[in-house]
Amino acid sequence: MTVDAPLRLDNLLQRIASDAFESCFGSALDAHSISIQKTRSEFPGDRTLVCFPLSRMSKAAPDATAQRLGEAMVSAEGPVVGFNVVKGFLNLEIQPDYWGSWLKTEAADAGYGRRPAGSAPHVMVEYSSPNTNKPLHLGHLRNNFLGHSVSRILEAMGHTVTKVQIVNDRGIHICKSMVAWQRMGNGETPESAGMKGDKLVGKYYVAFDQAYKAEVAERKAAGMADDEAEKGAPILVEAQETLRRWEQGDEETVALWRTMNGWVYTGFDETYATMGVEFDKLYFESDTYLIGRERVLEGLERGVFERSEDGAVWVDLTGDGLDRKLLLRGDGTAVYMTQDIGTALLRFQDYEDLDRQVYTVGNEQEYHFKVLFLVLAKLGFQQAERCHHLSYGMVELPEGKMKSREGTVVDADDLMAEMFSIARDIAREAGKLDGLDEKDQQAVFQRVGLSALKYFLLKVDPKKNMMFDPKASIDFYGNTGPFILFNYVRGRSVLRKADAEGHGNFETQEMAIPASDEMELIGLIHDLPDVIQEAALTYNPSLVANWCYDLTKAYSSYYQDHSILGAEEEETRVLRLTLTERFTRSLHTGMNLLGIELPERM
RNA sequence: GACUCUGUAGCUCAACUGGAUAGAGCACCUCACUACGGAUGAGGAGGUUGAGGGUUCGAAUCCUUCCAGGGUCGCCA
């Protein structure tokens, strides 16, 4: 058989089935309309062709159709060597040799599962995008891990990916921290306080809130109406004035703003480094909100938007089933949408070949992005229809939502540190790292701890809300990152030992024909390209996570049942070692797409 | 109220997009093995897929009506 690109088994079977159908029943079948699926384990066979939909065209009962089709497929040239029919299901047996040679050749490719870099359009992925007034928390972890993983998945599909964030560095929130620091800070800095910069600024944000509440209570006690007491509290007024001074470019205000944001960035950088995520370019709201205003006014001139009597600019989306939406206030100041329009257009300008943007943002902003993409389309960007809001659900705690006021926010740094510490305790007990120095051990604890966290947050379908039960999430057994790592490490250990014992040249040796449990493992490895493609199409890393787990479980069971190095026959050992090598490598690829680094020992 | 997402074992999650007897992990019970790394494997029990109706050879999946929960509907971000 001569094919340039590796032909996927299912496509091959569709082609054979289509030809077979025509020779049996006279009419041609569209190969894509033939549904091929994995055979359930309780029936003999590897692939199943569902014949119910075909019976109309064959003018025969489903079983009869399946029977004749099966016979024709076996006698055709190709990998089908047997079949059985259960009701309308045609179970096909694939030649074990087909699996064996596939494992030996195509699965050996260094880039197996990945498409060539640059073979798909340029995509921008935005994630993280925090406010600069408080530290990153559990919700940000889900956001960052998702965005980072989707970036890797798109890269594996051949896309050029640019990872960005929009830093929400301006507005009333940071002004609140600034005012509180001025009033109560006594010149405190991250150095003098011995505190990460983001934590320090967060501390003053909390201090602001407390001072504000105290003022409101005091004013109410003095007999003031609720509304007046809340809106006119001096510290709040001061924050609003600070914001106005900032917008006017007041030097002292801007200098403090720059200083305190700088502290935050240093703190964030440390957190991102620990998390293992990175960005190619940062966008700042303070740079883009003015651009947004210009672009909206341009759109107004071109008649895409409309102006109301008070001078505000609106977009009318009633024709798209939505509402009218404000783009610019009557006094000319920007709203959230204004700056997002500016940011999006700036990005298309920065990268002219950009095919689309992916926004990793919580599901409470779904409406916002619907509007944004419609606005971009109205401004004439064809990329708008390919832009995607990677919407994800909230991370909930057993006691409910995270509330900063109630102190139930799970801090990202604290959580990661806790995971590392648990990893250390378990590893010390196992005692497998005794030969390593302190620094290398620490690196392993971090990988193991982080794998637990990342896998836990990524294995759930992004669009669903998920429960973060601290007790369950730090589990290192069962369906967890560390379980997957453990089996990887074990496989690697066997390969090292094979090398040391002189069995390292298995790639060039004759290999036994796989039996059924081996074919199951090969089948899982064979799925990888489809899993990656589906994950990329749906922006859904959980598909990759679940594949990693299924593969690992199958290997773990196989490892339990068979001694790899202790195989009686040389050809059997070659098969088991080859399987182990392909398992570790394809698992490495899959986990890498989740942003999870694999250790060599743990 | 309108729109939207979700509802699957006691708990946390799957289910190849309409296929066969709905699967994993945790917790519970029973086993296996000096194990090439036990951070293991095998088995048991646990389900009217929120409820009703419909579509068809076939529904957790599609349509419809309810029920419950989340989210959105700001000149907030």
Side-chain angles (χ1 to χ4, degrees), chain A residues 137-138 363-364 394-410 465-468:
Chain A
H137 57 69
L138 179 53
N363 62 9
E364 70 274 11
M394 271 184 318
V395 184
E396 289 165 356
L397 301 172
E399 55 274 16
K401 293 180 194 173
M402 285 195 285
K403 289 271 183 234
S404 50
R405 268 176 275 154
E406 290 157 29
T408 56
V409 173
V410 177
N465 287 354
M466 66 176 295
M467 176 63 64
F468 187 85

Side-chain angles (χ1 to χ4, degrees), chain A residues 294-492:
Chain A
E294 287 165 28
R295 294 292 177 273
V296 169
L297 291 174
E298 279 171 23
L300 182 67
E301 276 174 36
R302 287 166 45 194
V304 182
F305 307 135
E306 55 198 37
R307 177 160 256 161
S308 62
E309 286 169 17
D310 63 352
V313 179
W314 296 78
V315 60
D316 183 2
L317 297 172
T318 49
D320 300 287
L322 302 180
D323 238 330
R324 275 160 50 90
K325 182 84 184 171
L326 182 88
L327 302 183
L328 206 55
R329 291 193 188 104
D331 63 4
T333 56
V335 292
Y336 183 48
M337 186 61 72
T338 321
Q339 65 91 10
D340 255 10
I341 292 169
T343 308
L345 300 190
L346 181 61
R347 287 168 176 173
F348 282 129
Q349 193 180 312
D350 285 349
Y351 301 92
E352 285 178 5
D353 63 339
L354 205 57
D355 180 69
R356 58 184 186 261
Q357 299 186 34
V358 177
Y359 295 83
T360 314
V361 180
N363 62 9
E364 70 274 11
Q365 295 196 34
E366 277 171 9
Y367 186 79
H368 173 81
F369 282 102
K370 254 183 214 164
V371 172
L372 176 62
F373 299 154
L374 284 170
V375 167
L376 292 179
K378 282 184 186 297
L379 287 171
F381 286 85
Q382 293 97 333
Q383 298 98 318
E385 62 188 38
R386 289 184 297 276
C387 282
H388 186 257
H389 173 203
L390 172 49
S391 168
Y392 62 91
M394 271 184 318
V395 184
E396 289 165 356
L397 301 172
E399 55 274 16
K401 293 180 194 173
M402 285 195 285
K403 289 271 183 234
S404 50
R405 268 176 275 154
E406 290 157 29
T408 56
V409 173
V410 177
D411 180 81
D413 293 318
D414 293 349
L415 181 58
M416 289 191 286
E418 192 189 346
M419 301 306 281
F420 301 158
S421 146
I422 294 167
R424 187 188 58 223
D425 292 346
I426 294 178
R428 292 237 163 109
E429 200 172 328
K432 296 283 182 186
L433 299 177
D434 295 345
L436 295 181
D437 65 35
E438 189 59 34
K439 188 163 148 282
D440 290 341
Q441 287 195 23
Q442 185 60 30
V444 173
F445 305 150
Q446 295 213 0
R447 285 189 176 191
V448 174
L450 210 48
S451 79
L453 202 48
K454 287 192 180 181
Y455 184 81
F456 188 86
L457 291 172
L458 287 174
K459 73 175 171 181
V460 180
D461 187 338
K463 74 176 173 221
K464 290 188 177 177
N465 287 354
M466 66 176 295
M467 176 63 64
F468 187 85
D469 180 347
K471 287 193 285 292
S473 65
I474 58 178
D475 210 333
F476 281 24
Y477 308 88
N479 185 359
T480 65
F483 169 79
I484 296 170
L485 260 51
F486 169 72
N487 280 282
Y488 174 82
V489 164
R490 199 157 61 163
R492 295 289 301 160

Side-chain angles (χ1 to χ4, degrees), chain A residues 28-88:
Chain A
L29 262 190
D30 176 13
H32 296 288
S33 68
I34 300 170
S35 122
I36 308 256
Q37 54 194 268
K38 280 193 164 182
T39 301
R40 295 181 66 102
S41 56
E42 57 262 42
F43 302 103
D46 300 278
R47 286 293 187 278
T48 294
L49 202 160
V50 184
C51 292
F52 296 97
L54 305 182
S55 78
R56 184 179 303 161
M57 300 187 64
S58 67
K59 301 197 168 62
D63 318 25
T65 309
Q67 184 68 30
R68 290 182 60 187
L69 201 54
E71 285 164 8
M73 287 181 77
V74 169
S75 51
E77 192 87 3
V80 182
V81 291
F83 75 98
N84 64 84
V85 176
V86 182
K87 290 189 268 183

Side-chain angles (χ1 to χ4, degrees), chain A residues 165-169 265 282-289 339 343:
Chain A
Q165 57 171 320
I166 175 82
V167 183
N168 188 4
D169 63 343
Y265 300 148
L282 304 187
Y283 287 87
F284 296 90
E285 268 190 23
S286 55
D287 293 332
T288 64
Y289 80 108
Q339 65 91 10
T343 308

Side-chain angles (χ1 to χ4, degrees), chain A residues 124-129 147 162 164-166 347 358-361:
Chain A
M124 179 174 281
V125 180
E126 174 193 299
Y127 53 93
S128 199
S129 303
T162 301
V164 300
Q165 57 171 320
I166 175 82
R347 287 168 176 173
V358 177
Y359 295 83
T360 314
V361 180

